[in-house]
Amino acid sequence: MPLVWDSEADVVVVGFGGAGACAALEAARAGASVVAVDRFTGGGATAMSGGIVYAGGGTSVQRAAGVTDTVDEMLAYLRQEVGDVVSPGLLEEFCRSSASMVDWLAEAGVPFDSSVCPYKTSYPSNRYYLYYSGSENAWPFRSVATPAPRGHRVHGRGTSGRVMYAALASAAHDAGVHVVRQTTATKLIIEGGRVVGVECRTHRSRLHRFLHRYATKPGLYLPAFARRLYRGIAALEASKGRVVRIRARRGVILAAGGFVNNRDMVRANAPAFRGGLPLGTQGDDGSGIQLGTSAGGVTDRMSTMSAWRFLTPPSALIRGILVDRSGARFVDESSYGAAIGERLVLERGGRAWLLVDEAILRDARRQVRTETLWFQRLSAHYLLRVARVRGATVEEVAAKAGIDPEGLAATVEKYGDGEDAFGKHPDLVAPMTGPYALIDCSFGPRLGYPCPTLTLGGLKVDEGTGQVRGADGAGIPGLYAAGRNAVGICSNSYVSGLSLADCVFSGRRAGRFAAGEVSSEMI
């Protein structure tokens, strides 16, 4: 008996966040009819993100800001961050297309601004929208590439990912994309070795939308609360949902986010990162990746996670010394927060303290008002007032914090005495004088100073098309993946904006090629 389809389109996109919206928009502009399904109301992690797009090589925004940057300098820096997770050719293509990507986003209605942030920060205040979002000024990166600000923050107050998503969703709608919300893809339909459609369960009640809204925010900051709401969402879908089947005449694109909110998958793949603040919606449960593996797709880099242990803002704090239990330094404190977090979790057992003196504390307190947004202000006050111990001498403050006094004393004696052992910029290095404070920067589930985490691995895809690869290395007919459902540019090492940039890059790639694919029955 032939399968009954409830609807059909040339391309079906699973997940309508940043990557899904870009894939759908590109496929529609290529002439395909497109249906996008989203478990909730759209947006995914993109809509709740900071809206940072990592781009360079002389973008229109950089030029307007008077910033000099070249493709070669961007490529030299990213080679250090990206490693071998993608081929050299793909990384070069990403860098060379970076400026045109910003233009493509702007043409789709995504607003940018050329005001350059003058200080090091994890995320700029509402006065600035172009900044050094990675480790460009840290050692050894500045020795191989001329630093340039490449973090393009979408123009909007607060965290502006919602502005980026709204523009992309509107552009996709104008291009004819049909978005089916509150609809969960549960199964890929395969005929003759080819993915030909998606089976979904749809549940469009107000209660479903209500629970999702609060599971996203404030649920982002209260994971246990979000999980309780999510269980209610899952129960509604299981008991009240209606099964629908959508045929994909040309291809299915998986763009349903990572797996940071699937505790079993995190425990199995990256157990050291448990205890961080999951950065994503409850839809980032690995379901898109699991759909891909159910069709024969293989995964890679599943153990790679990013943990953000930012020391800024306020920017004065990067003049401090970050030490472990033995009192030894282990990183250039001006490094990007994910670089610090990775070494903290994987090499130092998650425990670290920042040593500062009274001059640094005084400057940091003064900067809180001007350098922070509300959520950063909470963390800054926590660090400067709650998570610290004080002492007149190095030995006294070390004893109070429970770290080795002799080790810390030796570290302090060497700090600022000639060339820095970790290559920290000379402008940020100076001898310290008492009294001292040690600020607890350890990894763990603290509400006052959370450590956001996200997953970076996913399905292996063909670099030219985004087609999901099977165990034999061949592409699975009719199946593509993008964003955090796929291994991509950011799957080795994360810097702010690199995931969203990869969502745009990989989403557009999958959309173009899925729209152009022709199945055997269409010939």
Side-chain angles (χ1 to χ4, degrees):
M1 183 176 178
L3 194 65
V4 177
W5 301 99
D6 295 276
S7 62
E8 61 182 67
D10 293 329
V11 175
V12 177
V13 179
V14 177
F16 197 63
C22 289
L25 176 57
E26 197 79 329
R29 288 180 173 176
S33 59
V34 183
V35 169
V37 298
D38 192 272
R39 183 173 188 178
F40 300 115
T41 56
T46 295
M48 59 193 297
S49 75
I52 306 298
V53 178
Y54 196 89
T59 68
S60 56
V61 178
Q62 288 178 317
R63 295 196 306 271
V67 169
T68 300
D69 192 19
T70 68
V71 171
D72 289 343
E73 296 293 351
M74 179 184 181
L75 181 59
Y77 169 68
L78 284 183
R79 281 197 189 106
Q80 314 304 310
E81 297 282 17
V82 173
D84 63 353
V85 72
V86 298
S87 69
L90 184 74
L91 182 59
E92 183 171 351
E93 179 189 346
F94 173 78
C95 293
R96 295 202 179 282
S97 65
S98 183
S100 62
M101 176 185 68
V102 170
D103 293 339
W104 184 87
L105 288 169
E107 188 274 332
V110 179
F112 293 101
D113 185 279
S114 60
S115 50
V116 181
C117 187
Y119 51 83
K120 179 64 177 175
T121 184
S122 61
Y123 190 77
S125 70
N126 290 323
R127 297 174 61 189
Y128 306 112
Y129 289 87
L130 181 64
Y131 74 118
Y132 291 90
S133 64
S135 294
E136 294 88 355
N137 280 302
W139 189 263
F141 301 106
R142 69 174 186 273
S143 69
V144 298
T146 302
R150 301 188 185 104
H152 291 58
R153 176 186 169 196
V154 173
H155 190 261
R157 294 186 64 80
T159 51
S160 51
R162 68 192 188 284
V163 178
M164 178 178 179
Y165 167 71
L168 290 171
S170 177
H173 176 270
D174 292 344
V177 175
H178 177 55
V179 182
V180 184
R181 294 176 172 84
Q182 293 178 267
T183 299
T184 306
T186 56
K187 177 182 176 183
L188 293 176
I189 300 172
I190 303 171
E191 292 180 352
R194 177 186 178 81
V195 175
V196 298
V198 183
E199 183 171 290
C200 308
R201 184 174 289 273
T202 184
H203 182 77
R204 304 184 191 178
S205 72
R206 291 182 179 178
L207 179 58
H208 188 274
R209 290 196 301 272
F210 175 84
L211 292 175
H212 165 61
R213 175 183 176 184
Y214 287 97
T216 301
K217 285 188 178 179
L220 171 64
Y221 303 103
L222 303 167
F225 172 71
R227 287 193 293 270
R228 286 196 292 273
L229 294 183
Y230 177 73
R231 286 193 288 269
I233 291 170
L236 279 175
E237 293 170 343
S239 62
K240 304 292 184 180
R242 179 173 63 87
V243 174
V244 296
R245 298 180 181 89
I246 307 172
R247 184 186 182 204
R249 291 187 290 262
R250 300 186 186 180
V252 172
I253 302 172
L254 301 175
F259 61 92
V260 72
N261 272 311
N262 185 319
R263 290 195 289 175
D264 290 338
M265 289 182 71
V266 170
R267 186 181 298 111
N269 292 285
F273 291 89
R274 294 173 60 200
L277 180 71
L279 190 61
T281 72
Q282 292 300 308
D284 287 295
D285 59 358
S287 56
I289 296 172
Q290 291 169 339
L291 284 173
T293 57
S294 73
V298 295
T299 59
D300 193 19
R301 306 284 172 152
M302 294 291 282
S303 63
T304 306
M305 284 189 68
S306 183
W308 300 355
R309 182 42 86 217
F310 289 111
L311 304 181
T312 63
S315 58
L317 292 180
I318 60 175
R319 289 161 29 207
I321 305 173
L322 193 66
V323 299
D324 60 14
R325 285 180 182 271
S326 70
R329 288 176 71 205
F330 58 92
V331 70
D332 173 353
E333 292 81 5
S334 67
S335 300
Y336 177 65
I340 295 173
E342 180 181 9
R343 300 193 69 172
L344 169 65
V345 173
L346 298 181
E347 299 177 9
R348 292 304 191 271
R351 302 304 306 276
W353 293 260
L354 184 71
L355 180 72
V356 295
D357 61 13
E358 193 60 38
I360 293 174
L361 279 177
R362 184 172 58 250
D363 289 345
R365 293 191 196 100
R366 189 180 66 251
Q367 293 166 346
V368 169
R369 184 180 61 83
T370 59
E371 293 187 1
T372 61
L373 296 174
W374 71 267
F375 63 94
Q376 297 168 315
R377 200 164 298 139
L378 293 176
S379 292
H381 282 304
Y382 179 83
L383 292 176
L384 297 176
R385 299 179 185 278
V386 179
R388 68 171 190 178
V389 293
R390 304 188 72 173
T393 67
V394 170
E395 290 77 9
E396 180 184 350
V397 75
K400 287 183 178 179
I403 66 178
D404 180 35
E406 292 183 1
L408 184 60
T411 298
V412 173
E413 185 178 356
K414 293 178 183 177
Y415 188 71
D417 182 19
E419 185 175 344
D420 184 68
F422 289 88
K424 192 172 179 179
H425 198 284
D427 292 348
L428 301 174
V429 180
M432 291 191 186
T433 58
Y436 301 96
L438 274 169
I439 301 171
D440 191 349
C441 297
S442 300
F443 176 77
R446 288 180 290 172
L447 185 60
Y449 187 38
C451 187
T453 56
L454 72 159
T455 59
L456 300 176
L459 296 162
K460 294 183 73 171
V461 297
D462 182 275
E463 289 189 343
T465 64
Q467 189 174 35
V468 176
R469 292 191 173 203
D472 60 358
I476 297 174
L479 186 63
Y480 300 80
R484 298 289 58 77
N485 272 178
V487 172
I489 299 293
C490 68
S491 295
N492 178 64
S493 178
Y494 182 81
V495 300
S496 282
L498 202 55
S499 181
L500 282 187
D502 183 55
C503 283
V504 179
F505 180 77
S506 64
R508 293 179 66 194
R509 175 184 61 189
R512 285 194 304 272
F513 283 94
E517 183 167 320
V518 180
S519 68
S520 58
E521 66 184 69
M522 296 175 64
I523 298 175

